[in-house]
PDB file of all heavy atoms in Angstrom:
ATOM      1  N   MET U   1       0.832  -1.202  -0.031  1.00 98.00           N
ATOM      2  CA  MET U   1      -0.011   0.004   0.005  1.00 98.00           C
ATOM      3  C   MET U   1       0.897   1.253  -0.006  1.00 98.00           C
ATOM      4  O   MET U   1       0.561   2.187  -0.692  1.00 98.00           O
ATOM      5  CB  MET U   1      -0.923   0.004   1.236  1.00 98.00           C
ATOM      6  CG  MET U   1      -1.950  -1.068   1.222  1.00 98.00           C
ATOM      7  SD  MET U   1      -2.970  -0.902   2.755  1.00 98.00           S
ATOM      8  CE  MET U   1      -3.889  -2.457   2.735  1.00 98.00           C
ATOM      9  N   ALA U   2       1.920   1.248   0.765  1.00 97.00           N
ATOM     10  CA  ALA U   2       2.824   2.387   0.898  1.00 97.00           C
ATOM     11  C   ALA U   2       3.459   2.684  -0.478  1.00 97.00           C
ATOM     12  O   ALA U   2       3.558   3.828  -0.906  1.00 97.00           O
ATOM     13  CB  ALA U   2       3.852   2.156   1.916  1.00 97.00           C
ATOM     14  N   GLU U   3       3.877   1.599  -1.115  1.00 97.00           N
ATOM     15  CA  GLU U   3       4.494   1.793  -2.495  1.00 97.00           C
ATOM     16  C   GLU U   3       3.481   2.361  -3.437  1.00 97.00           C
ATOM     17  O   GLU U   3       3.846   3.178  -4.318  1.00 97.00           O
ATOM     18  CB  GLU U   3       5.022   0.449  -2.940  1.00 97.00           C
ATOM     19  CG  GLU U   3       6.242  -0.003  -2.154  1.00 97.00           C
ATOM     20  CD  GLU U   3       6.646  -1.465  -2.482  1.00 97.00           C
ATOM     21  OE1 GLU U   3       6.029  -2.032  -3.391  1.00 97.00           O
ATOM     22  OE2 GLU U   3       7.617  -1.977  -1.833  1.00 97.00           O
ATOM     23  N   ASP U   4       2.240   1.918  -3.403  1.00 97.00           N
ATOM     24  CA  ASP U   4       1.206   2.414  -4.260  1.00 97.00           C
ATOM     25  C   ASP U   4       0.997   3.949  -4.018  1.00 97.00           C
ATOM     26  O   ASP U   4       0.516   4.679  -4.951  1.00 97.00           O
ATOM     27  CB  ASP U   4      -0.105   1.730  -4.054  1.00 97.00           C
ATOM     28  CG  ASP U   4      -0.063   0.279  -4.631  1.00 97.00           C
ATOM     29  OD1 ASP U   4       0.837  -0.039  -5.419  1.00 97.00           O
ATOM     30  OD2 ASP U   4      -0.931  -0.496  -4.167  1.00 97.00           O
ATOM     31  N   MET U   5       1.265   4.358  -2.803  1.00 95.00           N
ATOM     32  CA  MET U   5       1.136   5.826  -2.506  1.00 95.00           C
ATOM     33  C   MET U   5       2.390   6.619  -2.884  1.00 95.00           C
ATOM     34  O   MET U   5       2.446   7.834  -2.710  1.00 95.00           O
ATOM     35  CB  MET U   5       0.859   6.003  -1.031  1.00 95.00           C
ATOM     36  CG  MET U   5      -0.461   5.471  -0.584  1.00 95.00           C
ATOM     37  SD  MET U   5      -0.672   5.698   1.272  1.00 95.00           S
ATOM     38  CE  MET U   5      -2.202   4.857   1.512  1.00 95.00           C
ATOM     39  N   GLY U   6       3.400   5.894  -3.378  1.00 93.00           N
ATOM     40  CA  GLY U   6       4.649   6.597  -3.827  1.00 93.00           C
ATOM     41  C   GLY U   6       5.728   6.691  -2.742  1.00 93.00           C
ATOM     42  O   GLY U   6       6.693   7.450  -2.872  1.00 93.00           O
ATOM     43  N   MET U   7       5.573   5.886  -1.686  1.00 93.00           N
ATOM     44  CA  MET U   7       6.602   5.889  -0.593  1.00 93.00           C
ATOM     45  C   MET U   7       7.773   5.010  -0.955  1.00 93.00           C
ATOM     46  O   MET U   7       7.654   4.012  -1.695  1.00 93.00           O
ATOM     47  CB  MET U   7       6.021   5.448   0.740  1.00 93.00           C
ATOM     48  CG  MET U   7       4.707   6.158   1.119  1.00 93.00           C
ATOM     49  SD  MET U   7       4.853   7.944   1.325  1.00 93.00           S
ATOM     50  CE  MET U   7       3.142   8.319   1.569  1.00 93.00           C
ATOM     51  N   GLU U   8       8.910   5.292  -0.416  1.00 93.00           N
ATOM     52  CA  GLU U   8      10.066   4.442  -0.393  1.00 93.00           C
ATOM     53  C   GLU U   8       9.857   3.355   0.714  1.00 93.00           C
ATOM     54  O   GLU U   8       9.421   3.774   1.834  1.00 93.00           O
ATOM     55  CB  GLU U   8      11.340   5.128  -0.190  1.00 93.00           C
ATOM     56  CG  GLU U   8      11.710   6.158  -1.280  1.00 93.00           C
ATOM     57  CD  GLU U   8      13.034   6.858  -0.932  1.00 93.00           C
ATOM     58  OE1 GLU U   8      13.943   6.217  -0.353  1.00 93.00           O
ATOM     59  OE2 GLU U   8      13.084   8.054  -1.261  1.00 93.00           O
ATOM     60  N   THR U   9      10.116   2.121   0.419  1.00 96.00           N
ATOM     61  CA  THR U   9       9.919   1.098   1.470  1.00 96.00           C
ATOM     62  C   THR U   9      11.129   0.233   1.545  1.00 96.00           C
ATOM     63  O   THR U   9      11.988   0.131   0.679  1.00 96.00           O
ATOM     64  CB  THR U   9       8.642   0.227   1.147  1.00 96.00           C
ATOM     65  OG1 THR U   9       8.940  -0.532  -0.009  1.00 96.00           O
ATOM     66  CG2 THR U   9       7.430   1.027   1.023  1.00 96.00           C
ATOM     67  N   GLY U  10      11.167  -0.528   2.651  1.00 95.00           N
ATOM     68  CA  GLY U  10      12.312  -1.456   2.848  1.00 95.00           C
ATOM     69  C   GLY U  10      11.969  -2.447   3.964  1.00 95.00           C
ATOM     70  O   GLY U  10      11.062  -2.210   4.753  1.00 95.00           O
ATOM     71  N   VAL U  11      12.733  -3.499   4.035  1.00 96.00           N
ATOM     72  CA  VAL U  11      12.618  -4.478   5.072  1.00 96.00           C
ATOM     73  C   VAL U  11      14.022  -4.830   5.609  1.00 96.00           C
ATOM     74  O   VAL U  11      14.972  -5.001   4.863  1.00 96.00           O
ATOM     75  CB  VAL U  11      11.995  -5.796   4.530  1.00 96.00           C
ATOM     76  CG1 VAL U  11      11.934  -6.832   5.604  1.00 96.00           C
ATOM     77  CG2 VAL U  11      10.568  -5.482   3.962  1.00 96.00           C
ATOM     78  N   CYS U  12      14.121  -4.914   6.933  1.00 94.00           N
ATOM     79  CA  CYS U  12      15.395  -5.237   7.612  1.00 94.00           C
ATOM     80  C   CYS U  12      15.289  -6.560   8.228  1.00 94.00           C
ATOM     81  O   CYS U  12      14.464  -6.801   9.109  1.00 94.00           O
ATOM     82  CB  CYS U  12      15.712  -4.139   8.616  1.00 94.00           C
ATOM     83  SG  CYS U  12      17.260  -4.417   9.549  1.00 94.00           S
ATOM     84  N   ASP U  13      16.178  -7.498   7.813  1.00 93.00           N
ATOM     85  CA  ASP U  13      16.302  -8.778   8.427  1.00 93.00           C
ATOM     86  C   ASP U  13      15.003  -9.563   8.459  1.00 93.00           C
ATOM     87  O   ASP U  13      14.817 -10.405   9.361  1.00 93.00           O
ATOM     88  CB  ASP U  13      16.856  -8.601   9.929  1.00 93.00           C
ATOM     89  CG  ASP U  13      17.418  -9.889  10.495  1.00 93.00           C
ATOM     90  OD1 ASP U  13      17.874 -10.756   9.694  1.00 93.00           O
ATOM     91  OD2 ASP U  13      17.439 -10.012  11.753  1.00 93.00           O
ATOM     92  N   ASP U  14      14.128  -9.280   7.505  1.00 95.00           N
ATOM     93  CA  ASP U  14      12.798  -9.944   7.439  1.00 95.00           C
ATOM     94  C   ASP U  14      11.966  -9.735   8.685  1.00 95.00           C
ATOM     95  O   ASP U  14      10.955 -10.418   8.849  1.00 95.00           O
ATOM     96  CB  ASP U  14      12.955 -11.453   7.160  1.00 95.00           C
ATOM     97  CG  ASP U  14      13.540 -11.739   5.830  1.00 95.00           C
ATOM     98  OD1 ASP U  14      13.198 -11.071   4.879  1.00 95.00           O
ATOM     99  OD2 ASP U  14      14.430 -12.642   5.708  1.00 95.00           O
ATOM    100  N   ARG U  15      12.336  -8.803   9.486  1.00 93.00           N
ATOM    101  CA  ARG U  15      11.608  -8.594  10.767  1.00 93.00           C
ATOM    102  C   ARG U  15      10.870  -7.217  10.901  1.00 93.00           C
ATOM    103  O   ARG U  15       9.833  -7.080  11.443  1.00 93.00           O
ATOM    104  CB  ARG U  15      12.595  -8.696  11.965  1.00 93.00           C
ATOM    105  CG  ARG U  15      13.223 -10.044  12.087  1.00 93.00           C
ATOM    106  CD  ARG U  15      14.359 -10.066  13.202  1.00 93.00           C
ATOM    107  NE  ARG U  15      15.024 -11.360  13.164  1.00 93.00           N
ATOM    108  CZ  ARG U  15      14.675 -12.422  13.890  1.00 93.00           C
ATOM    109  NH1 ARG U  15      13.549 -12.342  14.650  1.00 93.00           N
ATOM    110  NH2 ARG U  15      15.329 -13.503  13.844  1.00 93.00           N
ATOM    111  N   VAL U  16      11.482  -6.188  10.335  1.00 94.00           N
ATOM    112  CA  VAL U  16      10.996  -4.847  10.412  1.00 94.00           C
ATOM    113  C   VAL U  16      10.895  -4.226   9.061  1.00 94.00           C
ATOM    114  O   VAL U  16      11.810  -4.350   8.218  1.00 94.00           O
ATOM    115  CB  VAL U  16      11.937  -3.961  11.333  1.00 94.00           C
ATOM    116  CG1 VAL U  16      11.424  -2.578  11.396  1.00 94.00           C
ATOM    117  CG2 VAL U  16      12.076  -4.574  12.710  1.00 94.00           C
ATOM    118  N   GLY U  17       9.801  -3.573   8.766  1.00 96.00           N
ATOM    119  CA  GLY U  17       9.644  -2.905   7.548  1.00 96.00           C
ATOM    120  C   GLY U  17       9.422  -1.399   7.766  1.00 96.00           C
ATOM    121  O   GLY U  17       9.058  -0.998   8.856  1.00 96.00           O
ATOM    122  N   TRP U  18       9.631  -0.650   6.710  1.00 94.00           N
ATOM    123  CA  TRP U  18       9.433   0.819   6.870  1.00 94.00           C
ATOM    124  C   TRP U  18       8.920   1.397   5.563  1.00 94.00           C
ATOM    125  O   TRP U  18       9.203   0.922   4.479  1.00 94.00           O
ATOM    126  CB  TRP U  18      10.649   1.542   7.374  1.00 94.00           C
ATOM    127  CG  TRP U  18      11.821   1.616   6.401  1.00 94.00           C
ATOM    128  CD1 TRP U  18      12.013   2.539   5.369  1.00 94.00           C
ATOM    129  CD2 TRP U  18      12.855   0.668   6.262  1.00 94.00           C
ATOM    130  NE1 TRP U  18      13.091   2.216   4.683  1.00 94.00           N
ATOM    131  CE2 TRP U  18      13.677   1.087   5.174  1.00 94.00           C
ATOM    132  CE3 TRP U  18      13.204  -0.522   6.903  1.00 94.00           C
ATOM    133  CZ2 TRP U  18      14.835   0.418   4.774  1.00 94.00           C
ATOM    134  CZ3 TRP U  18      14.338  -1.231   6.534  1.00 94.00           C
ATOM    135  CH2 TRP U  18      15.083  -0.749   5.510  1.00 94.00           C
ATOM    136  N   ALA U  19       8.270   2.475   5.662  1.00 95.00           N
ATOM    137  CA  ALA U  19       7.842   3.341   4.526  1.00 95.00           C
ATOM    138  C   ALA U  19       8.302   4.746   4.933  1.00 95.00           C
ATOM    139  O   ALA U  19       8.072   5.158   6.022  1.00 95.00           O
ATOM    140  CB  ALA U  19       6.295   3.319   4.373  1.00 95.00           C
ATOM    141  N   GLN U  20       8.931   5.384   3.923  1.00 91.00           N
ATOM    142  CA  GLN U  20       9.472   6.685   4.278  1.00 91.00           C
ATOM    143  C   GLN U  20       9.226   7.726   3.227  1.00 91.00           C
ATOM    144  O   GLN U  20       9.081   7.425   2.069  1.00 91.00           O
ATOM    145  CB  GLN U  20      11.030   6.618   4.533  1.00 91.00           C
ATOM    146  CG  GLN U  20      11.885   6.204   3.377  1.00 91.00           C
ATOM    147  CD  GLN U  20      13.314   6.198   3.684  1.00 91.00           C
ATOM    148  OE1 GLN U  20      13.661   6.255   4.887  1.00 91.00           O
ATOM    149  NE2 GLN U  20      14.123   6.100   2.678  1.00 91.00           N
ATOM    150  N   LEU U  21       9.254   8.987   3.679  1.00 85.00           N
ATOM    151  CA  LEU U  21       9.170  10.143   2.811  1.00 85.00           C
ATOM    152  C   LEU U  21      10.312  11.037   3.201  1.00 85.00           C
ATOM    153  O   LEU U  21      10.486  11.442   4.329  1.00 85.00           O
ATOM    154  CB  LEU U  21       7.848  10.888   3.043  1.00 85.00           C
ATOM    155  CG  LEU U  21       7.500  12.030   2.203  1.00 85.00           C
ATOM    156  CD1 LEU U  21       7.364  11.596   0.737  1.00 85.00           C
ATOM    157  CD2 LEU U  21       6.174  12.726   2.592  1.00 85.00           C
ATOM    158  N   ARG U  22      11.194  11.250   2.269  1.00 79.00           N
ATOM    159  CA  ARG U  22      12.446  11.997   2.558  1.00 79.00           C
ATOM    160  C   ARG U  22      12.169  13.479   2.857  1.00 79.00           C
ATOM    161  O   ARG U  22      11.388  14.091   2.186  1.00 79.00           O
ATOM    162  CB  ARG U  22      13.412  11.856   1.376  1.00 79.00           C
ATOM    163  CG  ARG U  22      13.954  10.377   1.208  1.00 79.00           C
ATOM    164  CD  ARG U  22      15.094  10.410   0.176  1.00 79.00           C
ATOM    165  NE  ARG U  22      15.597   8.997   0.036  1.00 79.00           N
ATOM    166  CZ  ARG U  22      16.510   8.441   0.814  1.00 79.00           C
ATOM    167  NH1 ARG U  22      17.043   9.188   1.797  1.00 79.00           N
ATOM    168  NH2 ARG U  22      16.864   7.221   0.623  1.00 79.00           N
ATOM    169  N   GLY U  23      12.856  13.952   3.853  1.00 70.00           N
ATOM    170  CA  GLY U  23      12.756  15.336   4.211  1.00 70.00           C
ATOM    171  C   GLY U  23      13.729  16.179   3.454  1.00 70.00           C
ATOM    172  O   GLY U  23      14.340  15.785   2.474  1.00 70.00           O
ATOM    173  N   GLU U  24      13.964  17.455   3.944  1.00 64.00           N
ATOM    174  CA  GLU U  24      14.812  18.319   3.182  1.00 64.00           C
ATOM    175  C   GLU U  24      16.325  17.989   3.287  1.00 64.00           C
ATOM    176  O   GLU U  24      17.037  18.061   2.270  1.00 64.00           O
ATOM    177  CB  GLU U  24      14.617  19.779   3.764  1.00 64.00           C
ATOM    178  CG  GLU U  24      13.233  20.326   3.383  1.00 64.00           C
ATOM    179  CD  GLU U  24      13.046  21.720   3.800  1.00 64.00           C
ATOM    180  OE1 GLU U  24      13.658  22.113   4.838  1.00 64.00           O
ATOM    181  OE2 GLU U  24      12.281  22.464   3.211  1.00 64.00           O
ATOM    182  N   SER U  25      16.767  17.633   4.467  1.00 61.00           N
ATOM    183  CA  SER U  25      18.187  17.392   4.660  1.00 61.00           C
ATOM    184  C   SER U  25      18.583  15.913   4.380  1.00 61.00           C
ATOM    185  O   SER U  25      19.678  15.646   3.934  1.00 61.00           O
ATOM    186  CB  SER U  25      18.632  17.725   6.089  1.00 61.00           C
ATOM    187  OG  SER U  25      18.085  16.884   7.010  1.00 61.00           O
ATOM    188  N   GLY U  26      17.695  14.970   4.739  1.00 60.00           N
ATOM    189  CA  GLY U  26      18.041  13.589   4.563  1.00 60.00           C
ATOM    190  C   GLY U  26      18.955  13.089   5.651  1.00 60.00           C
ATOM    191  O   GLY U  26      19.385  11.946   5.654  1.00 60.00           O
ATOM    192  N   GLU U  27      19.257  13.923   6.617  1.00 66.00           N
ATOM    193  CA  GLU U  27      20.209  13.568   7.648  1.00 66.00           C
ATOM    194  C   GLU U  27      19.579  13.114   8.994  1.00 66.00           C
ATOM    195  O   GLU U  27      20.122  12.446   9.779  1.00 66.00           O
ATOM    196  CB  GLU U  27      21.196  14.717   7.931  1.00 66.00           C
ATOM    197  CG  GLU U  27      22.006  15.074   6.733  1.00 66.00           C
ATOM    198  CD  GLU U  27      22.912  16.292   7.001  1.00 66.00           C
ATOM    199  OE1 GLU U  27      22.814  16.877   8.081  1.00 66.00           O
ATOM    200  OE2 GLU U  27      23.747  16.630   6.119  1.00 66.00           O
ATOM    201  N   LYS U  28      18.335  13.630   9.213  1.00 70.00           N
ATOM    202  CA  LYS U  28      17.665  13.346  10.483  1.00 70.00           C
ATOM    203  C   LYS U  28      16.349  12.631  10.114  1.00 70.00           C
ATOM    204  O   LYS U  28      15.786  12.806   9.026  1.00 70.00           O
ATOM    205  CB  LYS U  28      17.375  14.588  11.236  1.00 70.00           C
ATOM    206  CG  LYS U  28      18.661  15.278  11.742  1.00 70.00           C
ATOM    207  CD  LYS U  28      18.304  16.513  12.597  1.00 70.00           C
ATOM    208  CE  LYS U  28      19.564  17.133  13.122  1.00 70.00           C
ATOM    209  NZ  LYS U  28      19.257  18.317  13.963  1.00 70.00           N
ATOM    210  N   HIS U  29      15.847  11.841  11.057  1.00 75.00           N
ATOM    211  CA  HIS U  29      14.638  11.061  10.828  1.00 75.00           C
ATOM    212  C   HIS U  29      13.649  11.368  11.951  1.00 75.00           C
ATOM    213  O   HIS U  29      14.033  11.433  13.129  1.00 75.00           O
ATOM    214  CB  HIS U  29      14.916   9.544  10.808  1.00 75.00           C
ATOM    215  CG  HIS U  29      15.743   9.159   9.617  1.00 75.00           C
ATOM    216  ND1 HIS U  29      17.112   9.264   9.562  1.00 75.00           N
ATOM    217  CD2 HIS U  29      15.365   8.526   8.470  1.00 75.00           C
ATOM    218  CE1 HIS U  29      17.540   8.814   8.428  1.00 75.00           C
ATOM    219  NE2 HIS U  29      16.536   8.346   7.739  1.00 75.00           N
ATOM    220  N   LEU U  30      12.429  11.560  11.590  1.00 77.00           N
ATOM    221  CA  LEU U  30      11.251  11.561  12.563  1.00 77.00           C
ATOM    222  C   LEU U  30      10.462  10.325  12.248  1.00 77.00           C
ATOM    223  O   LEU U  30       9.903  10.243  11.089  1.00 77.00           O
ATOM    224  CB  LEU U  30      10.481  12.848  12.380  1.00 77.00           C
ATOM    225  CG  LEU U  30       9.233  12.999  13.218  1.00 77.00           C
ATOM    226  CD1 LEU U  30       9.630  13.050  14.716  1.00 77.00           C
ATOM    227  CD2 LEU U  30       8.465  14.291  12.870  1.00 77.00           C
ATOM    228  N   ALA U  31      10.295   9.512  13.212  1.00 83.00           N
ATOM    229  CA  ALA U  31       9.671   8.183  12.968  1.00 83.00           C
ATOM    230  C   ALA U  31       8.517   8.009  13.877  1.00 83.00           C
ATOM    231  O   ALA U  31       8.449   8.448  15.007  1.00 83.00           O
ATOM    232  CB  ALA U  31      10.659   7.041  13.162  1.00 83.00           C
ATOM    233  N   THR U  32       7.458   7.303  13.367  1.00 88.00           N
ATOM    234  CA  THR U  32       6.400   6.741  14.110  1.00 88.00           C
ATOM    235  C   THR U  32       6.565   5.233  14.105  1.00 88.00           C
ATOM    236  O   THR U  32       6.744   4.658  13.041  1.00 88.00           O
ATOM    237  CB  THR U  32       5.020   7.115  13.628  1.00 88.00           C
ATOM    238  OG1 THR U  32       4.883   6.703  12.295  1.00 88.00           O
ATOM    239  CG2 THR U  32       4.778   8.625  13.733  1.00 88.00           C
ATOM    240  N   VAL U  33       6.616   4.609  15.288  1.00 90.00           N
ATOM    241  CA  VAL U  33       6.838   3.214  15.385  1.00 90.00           C
ATOM    242  C   VAL U  33       5.556   2.437  15.771  1.00 90.00           C
ATOM    243  O   VAL U  33       4.977   2.788  16.790  1.00 90.00           O
ATOM    244  CB  VAL U  33       7.989   2.860  16.390  1.00 90.00           C
ATOM    245  CG1 VAL U  33       8.289   1.351  16.419  1.00 90.00           C
ATOM    246  CG2 VAL U  33       9.261   3.622  16.005  1.00 90.00           C
ATOM    247  N   THR U  34       5.169   1.519  14.877  1.00 94.00           N
ATOM    248  CA  THR U  34       3.909   0.747  15.151  1.00 94.00           C
ATOM    249  C   THR U  34       4.152  -0.715  14.882  1.00 94.00           C
ATOM    250  O   THR U  34       5.247  -1.085  14.549  1.00 94.00           O
ATOM    251  CB  THR U  34       2.770   1.257  14.264  1.00 94.00           C
ATOM    252  OG1 THR U  34       3.109   0.935  12.898  1.00 94.00           O
ATOM    253  CG2 THR U  34       2.518   2.755  14.375  1.00 94.00           C
ATOM    254  N   HIS U  35       3.175  -1.483  15.118  1.00 95.00           N
ATOM    255  CA  HIS U  35       3.285  -2.955  14.873  1.00 95.00           C
ATOM    256  C   HIS U  35       2.052  -3.470  14.226  1.00 95.00           C
ATOM    257  O   HIS U  35       0.918  -2.897  14.406  1.00 95.00           O
ATOM    258  CB  HIS U  35       3.623  -3.731  16.145  1.00 95.00           C
ATOM    259  CG  HIS U  35       2.521  -3.667  17.160  1.00 95.00           C
ATOM    260  ND1 HIS U  35       1.495  -4.594  17.189  1.00 95.00           N
ATOM    261  CD2 HIS U  35       2.278  -2.870  18.189  1.00 95.00           C
ATOM    262  CE1 HIS U  35       0.650  -4.319  18.219  1.00 95.00           C
ATOM    263  NE2 HIS U  35       1.138  -3.241  18.872  1.00 95.00           N
ATOM    264  N   LEU U  36       2.206  -4.523  13.451  1.00 97.00           N
ATOM    265  CA  LEU U  36       1.071  -5.135  12.679  1.00 97.00           C
ATOM    266  C   LEU U  36       0.676  -6.513  13.209  1.00 97.00           C
ATOM    267  O   LEU U  36      -0.312  -7.098  12.676  1.00 97.00           O
ATOM    268  CB  LEU U  36       1.398  -5.215  11.184  1.00 97.00           C
ATOM    269  CG  LEU U  36       1.669  -3.831  10.588  1.00 97.00           C
ATOM    270  CD1 LEU U  36       2.240  -4.027   9.104  1.00 97.00           C
ATOM    271  CD2 LEU U  36       0.345  -3.003  10.511  1.00 97.00           C
ATOM    272  N   ASP U  37       1.380  -7.064  14.137  1.00 96.00           N
ATOM    273  CA  ASP U  37       1.012  -8.362  14.710  1.00 96.00           C
ATOM    274  C   ASP U  37      -0.121  -8.182  15.744  1.00 96.00           C
ATOM    275  O   ASP U  37      -0.302  -7.042  16.289  1.00 96.00           O
ATOM    276  CB  ASP U  37       2.197  -9.068  15.339  1.00 96.00           C
ATOM    277  CG  ASP U  37       2.773  -8.299  16.478  1.00 96.00           C
ATOM    278  OD1 ASP U  37       2.924  -7.001  16.326  1.00 96.00           O
ATOM    279  OD2 ASP U  37       3.103  -8.845  17.533  1.00 96.00           O
ATOM    280  N   VAL U  38      -0.868  -9.227  15.979  1.00 96.00           N
ATOM    281  CA  VAL U  38      -1.946  -9.161  16.985  1.00 96.00           C
ATOM    282  C   VAL U  38      -1.836 -10.436  17.833  1.00 96.00           C
ATOM    283  O   VAL U  38      -1.261 -11.452  17.471  1.00 96.00           O
ATOM    284  CB  VAL U  38      -3.339  -9.133  16.318  1.00 96.00           C
ATOM    285  CG1 VAL U  38      -3.474  -7.792  15.561  1.00 96.00           C
ATOM    286  CG2 VAL U  38      -3.550 -10.267  15.380  1.00 96.00           C
ATOM    287  N   VAL U  39      -2.433 -10.332  19.015  1.00 94.00           N
ATOM    288  CA  VAL U  39      -2.528 -11.517  19.861  1.00 94.00           C
ATOM    289  C   VAL U  39      -3.796 -12.332  19.417  1.00 94.00           C
ATOM    290  O   VAL U  39      -4.623 -11.784  18.726  1.00 94.00           O
ATOM    291  CB  VAL U  39      -2.701 -11.150  21.368  1.00 94.00           C
ATOM    292  CG1 VAL U  39      -1.484 -10.391  21.857  1.00 94.00           C
ATOM    293  CG2 VAL U  39      -3.941 -10.248  21.590  1.00 94.00           C
ATOM    294  N   PRO U  40      -3.927 -13.586  19.798  1.00 95.00           N
ATOM    295  CA  PRO U  40      -5.033 -14.392  19.347  1.00 95.00           C
ATOM    296  C   PRO U  40      -6.372 -13.699  19.703  1.00 95.00           C
ATOM    297  O   PRO U  40      -6.459 -12.978  20.743  1.00 95.00           O
ATOM    298  CB  PRO U  40      -4.872 -15.704  20.115  1.00 95.00           C
ATOM    299  CG  PRO U  40      -3.406 -15.808  20.303  1.00 95.00           C
ATOM    300  CD  PRO U  40      -2.934 -14.380  20.564  1.00 95.00           C
ATOM    301  N   ALA U  41      -7.339 -13.901  18.900  1.00 94.00           N
ATOM    302  CA  ALA U  41      -8.649 -13.176  19.030  1.00 94.00           C
ATOM    303  C   ALA U  41      -9.389 -13.494  20.303  1.00 94.00           C
ATOM    304  O   ALA U  41     -10.067 -12.680  20.892  1.00 94.00           O
ATOM    305  CB  ALA U  41      -9.543 -13.455  17.816  1.00 94.00           C
ATOM    306  N   GLY U  42      -9.299 -14.704  20.767  1.00 91.00           N
ATOM    307  CA  GLY U  42      -9.968 -15.114  22.013  1.00 91.00           C
ATOM    308  C   GLY U  42     -11.506 -15.214  21.803  1.00 91.00           C
ATOM    309  O   GLY U  42     -11.988 -15.257  20.678  1.00 91.00           O
ATOM    310  N   LYS U  43     -12.209 -15.248  22.842  1.00 92.00           N
ATOM    311  CA  LYS U  43     -13.680 -15.455  22.835  1.00 92.00           C
ATOM    312  C   LYS U  43     -14.443 -14.161  23.010  1.00 92.00           C
ATOM    313  O   LYS U  43     -13.877 -13.147  23.379  1.00 92.00           O
ATOM    314  CB  LYS U  43     -14.092 -16.507  23.917  1.00 92.00           C
ATOM    315  CG  LYS U  43     -13.440 -17.856  23.731  1.00 92.00           C
ATOM    316  CD  LYS U  43     -13.869 -18.803  24.828  1.00 92.00           C
ATOM    317  CE  LYS U  43     -13.192 -20.163  24.691  1.00 92.00           C
ATOM    318  NZ  LYS U  43     -13.622 -21.096  25.800  1.00 92.00           N
ATOM    319  N   GLY U  44     -15.717 -14.210  22.753  1.00 93.00           N
ATOM    320  CA  GLY U  44     -16.596 -13.060  23.021  1.00 93.00           C
ATOM    321  C   GLY U  44     -16.886 -12.206  21.859  1.00 93.00           C
ATOM    322  O   GLY U  44     -17.623 -11.222  21.982  1.00 93.00           O
ATOM    323  N   TRP U  45     -16.378 -12.534  20.717  1.00 95.00           N
ATOM    324  CA  TRP U  45     -16.632 -11.733  19.503  1.00 95.00           C
ATOM    325  C   TRP U  45     -18.079 -12.015  18.984  1.00 95.00           C
ATOM    326  O   TRP U  45     -18.446 -13.177  18.867  1.00 95.00           O
ATOM    327  CB  TRP U  45     -15.621 -12.001  18.403  1.00 95.00           C
ATOM    328  CG  TRP U  45     -14.256 -11.539  18.700  1.00 95.00           C
ATOM    329  CD1 TRP U  45     -13.308 -12.111  19.488  1.00 95.00           C
ATOM    330  CD2 TRP U  45     -13.768 -10.212  18.317  1.00 95.00           C
ATOM    331  NE1 TRP U  45     -12.167 -11.271  19.600  1.00 95.00           N
ATOM    332  CE2 TRP U  45     -12.397 -10.129  18.786  1.00 95.00           C
ATOM    333  CE3 TRP U  45     -14.182  -9.184  17.451  1.00 95.00           C
ATOM    334  CZ2 TRP U  45     -11.589  -9.014  18.603  1.00 95.00           C
ATOM    335  CZ3 TRP U  45     -13.386  -8.100  17.289  1.00 95.00           C
ATOM    336  CH2 TRP U  45     -12.065  -7.969  17.814  1.00 95.00           C
TER     337      TRP U  45
END
């Protein structure tokens, strides 16, 4: 999805992925860190 929006993407060690938009300097990063895994759904749904 990120690539379809025109972002640069990458994967590190098959564990962490990122989508980025380069800033003016390219020297500093401002990041939001999230996760896409979930715990088992459990009961009650």
Side-chain angles (χ1 to χ4, degrees):
M1 293 181 191
E3 291 171 3
D4 289 343
M5 294 179 185
M7 311 298 174
E8 298 178 34
T9 65
V11 177
C12 178
D13 198 26
D14 292 320
R15 300 173 185 272
V16 178
W18 69 87
Q20 67 178 10
L21 187 60
R22 292 189 180 273
E24 292 182 331
S25 69
E27 298 177 355
K28 295 182 178 180
H29 293 79
L30 175 62
T32 58
V33 181
T34 65
H35 64 89
L36 297 172
D37 62 314
V38 294
V39 298
K43 300 179 180 180
W45 290 84

